[in-house]
C-alpha cells in the first residue's frame, strides 16, 4: 500500500497522520516523542514511504530516525506552508493531515535537509551568536549602571572594552554596590570572550577546509 505520512512535531509530543494513495486517512494519532512510540504508528509501512514534517523545534532526532528505518524524509518549509497557516480549523490533527495531503499531491513546499556536518556547523554558529548576544546584554547592563551615575562615553571611554576604556572604567568613582556589579559583569564578559575566541578558531578552521569559502574570499572586496 502506498502511504504518505505527515508529522506535526512538538517538544514533547507529535501528531502523526498516515494517508493512503486515495487520500483516505488510515491513522491520525498523537504520541509522545521517541523512537518506540513513533515506530508503533509507522513501523509497518514499506521502506521508502515518504514522510513530511515541518522545520520546527527539535526535528533532528526525527530525521535521523526516519533515515535509519529507510523512510523518505521531506522537510516542509514552515513559512511557505500557507495551507497550514491559513487553515480555518487550526490544530495538530489538521496540521499533520495537511502535511500528508500536500505530500501526496506533490505540493509540499520543501526546505533543504542539510547533511550532518552542515548541521553541526550551524550548531556552532548559533552557539556563538547566542554568546555574542549575551555579551551585548551584559555590556548594555554596564552602560545602564554608568548612566545611573551620570557617566557617559566620551574620548577614551567611547569604547569601554578597549584597554583605554577599561582603564577609564576602573578609575570611575562608583558606590561600592555599583562597582561590584560592574566588576562582576566584566568578569562574566571576559569569560564569555574566551569561549567566543575559541569558537572563532574552530569556525576559521572549518572555513579554511570549505572550497566555497575559498571561492568567496577570492572575490574583490
Amino acid at each position: 500500500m502506498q502511504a504518505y505520512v505527515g508529522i506535526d512535531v512538538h517538544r514533547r509530543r507529535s501528531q502523526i497522520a498516515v494517508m493512503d494513495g486515495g487520500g483516505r486517512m488510515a491513522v491520525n494519532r498523537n504520541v509522545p516523542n521517541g523512537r518506540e512510540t513513533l515506530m508503533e504508528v509507522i513501523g509497518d509501512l514499506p521502506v521508502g514511504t515518504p514522510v513530511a514534517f515541518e522545520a520546527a523545534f527539535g526535528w533532528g532526532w526525527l530525521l535521523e530516525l526516519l533515515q535509519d528505518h529507510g523512510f523518505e524524509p521531506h522537510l516542509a518549509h514552515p513559512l511557505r506552508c500557507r495551507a497550514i497557516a491559513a487553515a480555518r480549523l487550526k490544530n495538530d490533527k489538521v496540521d499533520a493531515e495537511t502535511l500528508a495531503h500536500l505530500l501526496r499531491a506533490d505540493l509540499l513546499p520543501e526546505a533543504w535537509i542539510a547533511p550532518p556536518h552542515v548541521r553541526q556547523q550551524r550548531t556552532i554558529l548559533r552557539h556563538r551568536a547566542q554568546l555574542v548576544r549575551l555579551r551585548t546584554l551584559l555590556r548594555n547592563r554596564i552602560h545602564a549602571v554608568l548612566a545611573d551615575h551620570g557617566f557617559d562615553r566620551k574620548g577614551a571611554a567611547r569604547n569601554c572594552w578597549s584597554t583605554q576604556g577599561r582603564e577609564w572604567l576602573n578609575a570611575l568613582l562608583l558606590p561600592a554596590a555599583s562597582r561590584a556589579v560592574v566588576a562582576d559583569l566584566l568578569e562574566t564578559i571576559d569569560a564569555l570572550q574566551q569561549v567566543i575566541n575559541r569558537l572563532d578558531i574552530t569556525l576559521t578552521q572549518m572555513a579554511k577546509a570549505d572550497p566555497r569559502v575559498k571561492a568567496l574570499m577570492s572575490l574583490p572586496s
Side-chain angles (χ1 to χ4, degrees):
M1 178 191 77
Q2 177 62 57
Y4 301 87
V5 181
I7 302 179
D8 188 28
V9 186
H10 293 277
R11 287 176 181 262
R12 297 178 180 175
R13 303 183 67 89
S14 294
Q15 188 77 28
I16 306 173
V18 180
M19 180 178 291
D20 66 20
R24 292 180 294 274
M25 292 302 305
V27 177
N28 200 332
R29 187 188 306 173
N30 188 275
V31 299
N33 286 340
R35 290 178 173 266
E36 293 183 0
T37 52
L38 191 76
M39 295 309 295
E40 285 178 2
V41 181
I42 66 172
D44 292 335
L45 296 176
V47 171
T49 296
V51 180
F53 56 96
E54 280 192 340
F57 176 86
W59 57 269
W61 70 271
L62 177 58
L63 173 63
E64 293 177 359
L65 174 63
L66 295 175
Q67 291 174 333
D68 289 345
H69 287 81
F71 292 102
E72 182 184 290
H74 293 264
L75 184 62
H77 195 298
L79 298 180
R80 293 171 58 195
C81 266
R82 297 186 181 275
I84 292 179
R88 291 184 179 180
L89 179 60
K90 188 75 171 68
N91 58 49
D92 296 346
K93 198 171 184 178
V94 171
D95 289 352
E97 181 176 347
T98 302
L99 285 170
H101 173 70
L102 292 173
L103 186 60
R104 185 183 70 88
D106 197 23
L107 295 173
L108 185 74
E110 295 194 41
W112 178 56
I113 298 179
H117 75 278
V118 174
R119 297 203 299 272
Q120 286 300 298
Q121 289 176 356
R122 290 175 175 177
T123 297
I124 295 176
L125 284 168
R126 284 193 292 266
H127 179 44
R128 184 189 183 280
Q130 290 166 349
L131 293 180
V132 169
R133 285 194 291 268
L134 178 56
R135 183 184 64 185
T136 300
L137 184 151
L138 297 174
R139 287 178 172 180
N140 289 340
R141 178 60 188 141
I142 290 178
H143 292 318
V145 172
L146 300 183
D148 282 342
H149 298 288
F151 295 109
D152 57 11
R153 294 170 291 166
K154 294 181 179 178
R158 192 172 298 278
N159 179 5
C160 293
W161 326 118
S162 64
T163 301
Q164 282 185 309
R166 288 295 187 98
E167 292 175 353
W168 177 78
L169 280 174
N170 292 332
L172 292 178
L173 296 177
L174 295 172
S178 297
R179 170 57 65 190
V181 169
V182 170
D184 288 344
L185 291 170
L186 288 174
E187 183 178 352
T188 307
I189 289 171
D190 290 341
L192 279 175
Q193 190 61 54
Q194 291 183 21
V195 180
I196 292 171
N197 291 342
R198 174 170 52 79
L199 292 173
D200 286 342
I201 294 173
T202 300
L203 290 170
T204 299
Q205 292 172 342
M206 288 181 175
K208 286 181 178 179
D210 192 328
R212 295 169 300 177
V213 175
K214 292 180 181 179
L216 290 172
M217 293 295 290
S218 66
L219 296 176
S221 58

